[in-house]
Amino acid sequence: MDNEQARHRVEELTRLIDHYNHEYYMNDRSEVSDYEFDQLLAELIALEREHPELALPTSPTRRVGGEVNKSFKQVTHRFPMLSLGNTYSVEEIEEFESRTRRLLDGTPFSYSCELKYDGVAIGLTYRDGRLVQAVTRGNGSVGDDITANAATIGTIPLKLDGTYPPDFEVRGEVVYPFEPFEAMNRQREAEGEEPFANPRNAASGSLKLQDSAECARRRLMFCPYFVMSPDDYTPTLPTTHTGRLEQLRDMGFRLQPHLAECRDIADIKAYIDLWDHQRWELPFGIDGIVIKVNQTQLWDRLGLTAKSPRWAIAYKFKAERVSTPLLSVSYQVGRTGVVTPVANLQPVHLGGTTVRRATLNNADFIEKTDIRQGDWLLVEKGGEIIPKIVGVDPDHRAEGAQPVGYADHCPECGAQLVRTPGEAGHYCPNADHCPPQIVGRLEHFASRRAMNLDSLGPERLEMLYRAGLVANVADLYDLTPQRLIGLGAGSAQSLQRKSADAIMAALEASRQVPFERVLFALGIRFVGEVGAKKLARYFGNIDNLMAATPLELAMVEDVGEVTATAVSDYFARPEHRQIVERLRQAGLQMAVATTQTATTLAGLTFVVSGVFETFSRDEIKAHIEAHGGRVSGSLSSKTSYLVAGEKMGPEKRRKAEQLNIPIITEEAYRNLADPQQ
Ligand code: IVH
């Protein structure tokens, strides 16, 4: 393909993909199969890679992400991002309404009412119809530049249609709709990661991801609610807020269909009422509604208070609360042995769903809340999906009611539960023989960040365990296709030849998984990914690690006393040593691979700080290690050099000077690592 043909094809693909994206994100319509769409996108990515001059900043390939955010630049907002006055009381909304009417003194006007989206506020700057910057609210004056991540959100147009100001800002909220939020959380749990507490936190965390490709997978949504334009352009914008939002829709934003124009307080109250009930049917969370004076020329007349405009107010929904009898308490045992008490409730309707169970968190919670037998519990549902127990209903307390107490024994294996003084909850100490703990450890071992045995999901592992084939992680490597085929016959998990082969292939591939991940996969208490990496690098192989005393273990950076004891206790158990031995026999990596290419930095410890010209932070760290050096996160008397990039903080410099540690530039570092160059 010559350059001219390539240009044509890029244009054609861009047009097609933009069109399909628009239909998909704005109108919920899929005009092509996912497969066809992916093919077109892959072709465009390939062409842009071959002809970088053809890759426009507004190319739909940006939606895929891939740009890495090394750090988020702080940006001062051109127009400060104000917040709104808010209230939970309808009376205060009535006061707002009559005050506004009084101040406007007979001028005819109306209100625009819209949803108060429960997400993260951002501002999008468009210049000549192109998205040039996306910034979080931050403290209202300064926020983080999250452009690369925002560009992956399908409902944020990269280029605008219709008429628009030449240089202006669109403000709105990034929300995480319930469905993709829950799917993502389920996946996190399956992989042994902490789930997000609610969609808002998850939206905020997603916008701050270093890897924009990961952000692209999160299926966030943007809800616009405001246009900010410089004064000289403002006269050409529609003169009502609802009109401006409609213009945003014509530009290509997805406007929520819940916008309403209200004439008076009765209309406003009806709108509040409607959404207080219907909010549970929305695909995303809202925490109230926002009322704005609709005629924008009146805004200046009403003015601002210290932090918020006088022409708008937010009404926040109260969390819905009901009281219902506690029927019984059951106990769930997690993969680490932590026991969670669960209240079984008389089913009760709350915020659009029927609640039957709710967590009681731990023994501490039960004691503090003073839950007694026969009590009625107060259950609340706020802007979130998960109902919470917030207390005991005093009206239903029977005289002489006894505390509910707490289970003595594990409901799964019968072992006596343990509660460490000072800890909030109980755990089952029978780690090696308690079924959910065994399956939990298998799941952790198989998870993506550990051994990545993708054909062994939780249900399959449970089945293998129940069939008596696998009781610990080493048993996985004794599996054969013959033993697998035919398992679970008649169930959805039934294993055919193809699945058995896939399992064997995944196990085979896992023999190449680096030692640090094998160590993480063992599931030693308190040893997360980072800890495993540090331990692996420090000790080099499993034998050194198993021989280490708690004192030696605690020498490793980021390994505290608690972790050191946990590691030492783990390897003190003969059955664990036996598992390690069997995994070694099975061919798993039990030592760090020597990717080291040089030893010019052997024995030296480096701290790196600031931004570098020829390296990313991770690259310079890898470079140091590849040359035999060590990288440390903080300066100490053991540091050999501080490699200073641009924008290194003065605090670091002062500390290095105090400790007499040589501060070297990136170039000097290069000379040290590769002296022959
Ligand atoms: S209007 C000057 N409209 O609620 C007008 N805000 O304290 C500024 N929010 O930080 C905001 N939905 O993040 C507006 N429909 C909506 C909103 C909304 C959610 C958030 C926004 C702001 C906070 C108000």
Side-chain angles (χ1 to χ4, degrees):
M1 201 182 284
D2 67 25
N3 280 353
E4 193 51 21
Q5 283 167 323
R7 199 173 55 78
H8 261 107
R9 185 63 184 153
V10 165
E11 276 171 14
E12 190 175 12
L13 286 166
T14 304
R15 208 164 345 103
L16 264 173
I17 296 170
D18 276 347
H19 170 76
Y20 293 142
N21 266 337
H22 184 89
E23 287 303 305
Y24 184 79
Y25 289 113
M26 306 297 166
N27 302 326
D28 292 323
R29 255 201 310 261
S30 298
E31 292 192 347
V32 280
S33 68
D34 286 358
Y35 177 76
E36 276 172 87
F37 182 85
D38 289 344
Q39 294 283 309
L40 295 173
L41 196 61
E43 187 185 344
L44 183 56
I45 292 173
L47 273 173
E48 287 183 352
R49 204 168 284 149
E50 234 173 275
H51 305 269
E53 74 285 358
L54 298 177
L56 299 176
T58 55
S59 164
T61 54
R62 277 189 85 185
R63 298 272 191 234
V64 189
E67 284 168 70
V68 173
N69 301 293
K70 293 201 179 109
S71 61
F72 295 95
K73 202 172 63 188
Q74 299 260 302
V75 178
T76 304
H77 291 291
R78 180 148 59 135
F79 315 100
M81 275 179 101
L82 299 177
S83 66
L84 292 178
N86 66 63
T87 173
Y88 287 94
S89 118
V90 176
E91 288 78 62
E92 285 186 26
I93 297 294
E94 286 169 352
E95 279 164 29
F96 162 82
E97 200 282 329
S98 51
R99 188 175 57 240
T100 309
R101 216 160 3 95
R102 198 175 56 246
L103 287 169
L104 292 178
D105 196 23
T107 316
F109 71 100
S110 61
Y111 298 96
S112 98
C113 288
E114 55 196 284
L115 306 180
K116 186 170 184 322
Y117 310 105
D118 194 10
V120 182
I122 64 168
L124 303 170
T125 301
Y126 286 87
R127 236 166 258 142
D128 297 323
R130 288 163 199 276
L131 174 69
V132 292
Q133 195 170 51
V135 183
T136 60
R137 180 173 187 280
N139 61 11
S141 320
V142 179
D144 290 322
D145 183 330
I146 47 132
T147 313
N149 284 345
T152 68
I153 299 176
T155 38
I156 294 182
L158 299 176
K159 51 179 187 260
L160 302 178
D161 296 328
T163 44
Y164 42 79
D167 184 358
F168 78 120
E169 199 177 319
V170 177
R171 294 200 173 155
E173 203 88 349
V174 172
V175 296
Y176 210 143
F178 293 134
E179 216 187 277
F181 166 74
E182 282 173 41
M184 182 254 330
N185 251 357
R186 275 198 302 273
Q187 192 184 344
R188 282 174 81 87
E189 280 182 293
E191 288 173 359
E193 280 178 66
E194 195 63 27
F196 282 105
N198 57 51
R200 188 185 344 100
N201 290 359
S204 166
S206 303
L207 290 179
K208 296 287 186 59
L209 282 166
Q210 298 262 321
D211 175 5
S212 61
E214 178 59 26
C215 185
R217 282 190 278 277
R218 298 268 174 112
R219 288 160 61 203
L220 300 169
M221 183 168 157
F222 179 71
C223 304
Y225 55 63
F226 205 66
V227 181
M228 267 290 182
S229 95
D231 286 345
D232 53 346
Y233 191 84
T234 305
T236 66
L237 286 174
T239 55
T240 59
H241 180 64
T242 45
R244 289 183 183 180
L245 291 184
E246 276 153 16
Q247 194 179 28
L248 284 181
R249 183 182 47 215
D250 297 338
M251 291 178 204
F253 288 91
R254 180 168 180 149
L255 193 58
Q256 293 303 318
H258 321 295
L259 182 65
E261 189 175 346
C262 292
R263 278 162 307 148
D264 51 26
I265 187 70
D267 280 1
I268 295 174
K269 281 190 190 166
Y271 187 88
I272 290 179
D273 229 38
L274 175 73
W275 286 107
D276 199 358
H277 291 102
Q278 289 200 1
R279 62 178 154 143
W280 307 111
E281 271 131 59
L282 290 167
F284 48 77
I286 63 171
D287 57 351
I289 65 145
V290 178
I291 304 149
K292 296 171 188 159
V293 168
N294 199 23
Q295 286 65 27
T296 56
Q297 321 92 300
L298 300 180
W299 291 355
D300 278 348
R301 262 172 74 183
L302 291 164
L304 305 172
T305 67
K307 275 193 314 213
S308 49
R310 250 193 224 103
W311 42 265
I313 192 166
Y315 172 80
K316 301 242 272 183
F317 296 131
K318 286 189 232 12
E320 256 188 75
R321 178 185 278 201
V322 289
S323 167
T324 188
L326 169 68
L327 303 177
S328 64
V329 178
S330 46
Y331 299 86
Q332 280 175 357
V333 185
R335 111 179 145 76
T336 52
V338 171
V339 176
T340 308
V342 179
N344 298 303
L345 304 164
Q346 172 93 36
V348 62
H349 209 66
L350 178 65
T353 51
T354 305
V355 180
R356 293 184 170 79
R357 292 153 65 79
T359 179
L360 288 167
N361 305 303
N362 50 50
D364 236 15
F365 180 84
I366 296 179
E367 283 154 28
K368 279 200 192 123
T369 320
D370 188 23
I371 299 174
R372 312 247 182 124
Q373 289 170 15
D375 270 349
W376 286 45
L377 301 184
L378 299 172
V379 192
E380 229 181 61
K381 195 160 152 177
E384 291 144 29
I385 334 154
I386 302 159
K388 267 202 312 236
I389 289 174
V390 292
V392 170
D393 184 347
D395 298 344
H396 287 91
R397 166 71 50 91
E399 221 174 291
Q402 292 300 304
V404 287
Y406 205 87
D408 299 321
H409 293 91
C410 175
E412 300 279 347
C413 71
Q416 185 146 22
L417 297 181
V418 175
R419 186 180 190 186
T420 314
E423 278 186 19
H426 292 69
Y427 75 95
C428 167
N430 187 18
D432 292 331
H433 300 102
C434 180
Q437 297 191 61
I438 295 172
V439 178
R441 258 195 317 280
L442 293 171
E443 278 174 29
H444 171 72
F445 184 83
S447 66
R448 190 163 55 95
R449 293 181 191 279
M451 304 305 284
N452 193 22
L453 304 171
D454 54 2
S455 43
L456 282 172
E459 288 87 10
R460 284 238 168 107
L461 290 168
E462 174 101 33
M463 182 174 78
L464 295 179
Y465 169 69
R466 298 224 174 273
L469 281 182
V470 178
N472 63 49
V473 298
D475 292 343
L476 288 169
Y477 292 90
D478 291 341
L479 291 172
T480 58
Q482 293 73 28
R483 286 192 200 163
L484 289 169
I485 293 168
L487 270 185
S491 80
Q493 291 297 315
S494 154
L495 272 171
Q496 313 289 326
R497 173 96 228 169
K498 225 171 104 191
S499 318
D501 286 346
I503 293 174
M504 296 314 293
L507 288 166
E508 177 56 38
S510 76
R511 293 184 163 94
Q512 302 311 322
V513 166
F515 173 50
E516 61 195 42
R517 275 170 55 196
V518 176
L519 187 56
F520 169 61
L522 289 178
I524 303 170
R525 258 190 121 191
F526 307 118
V527 179
E529 270 177 288
V530 176
K533 196 180 267 182
K534 299 244 155 116
L535 287 167
R537 300 237 176 111
Y538 191 93
F539 290 102
N541 62 45
I542 194 85
D543 295 308
N544 291 344
L545 178 65
M546 288 199 294
T549 63
L551 215 62
E552 286 166 333
L553 289 160
M555 297 284 285
V556 181
E557 193 189 1
D558 287 344
V559 172
E561 214 176 297
V562 180
T563 313
T565 312
V567 174
S568 159
D569 286 354
Y570 180 90
F571 290 118
R573 303 270 295 269
E575 57 273 37
H576 292 157
R577 287 179 170 256
Q578 200 193 354
I579 288 176
V580 169
E581 229 22 77
R582 287 175 61 203
L583 292 176
R584 191 204 306 263
Q585 291 304 321
L588 267 58
Q589 302 295 320
M590 290 295 168
V592 283
T594 38
T595 49
Q596 207 171 302
T597 52
T599 51
T600 43
L601 304 181
L604 300 177
T605 301
F606 293 81
V607 170
V608 296
S609 180
V611 182
F612 299 100
E613 213 168 288
T614 59
F615 290 114
S616 75
R617 285 278 275 242
D618 284 342
E619 280 163 4
I620 190 164
K621 287 183 184 167
H623 194 265
I624 292 171
E625 282 164 5
H627 289 74
R630 287 215 321 124
V631 183
S632 161
S634 55
L635 290 164
S636 75
S637 57
K638 290 187 210 133
T639 313
S640 321
Y641 292 100
L642 169 62
V643 191
E646 241 181 90
K647 297 202 192 122
M648 181 178 80
E651 199 47 46
K652 269 252 157 74
R653 181 173 296 277
R654 213 169 309 131
K655 178 126 192 243
E657 282 166 0
Q658 231 171 43
L659 292 169
N660 244 334
I661 295 165
I663 304 173
I664 59 173
T665 62
E666 184 175 349
E667 201 190 338
Y669 163 75
R670 285 249 185 222
N671 291 336
L672 200 63
D674 300 308
Q676 70 278 19
Q677 280 185 1

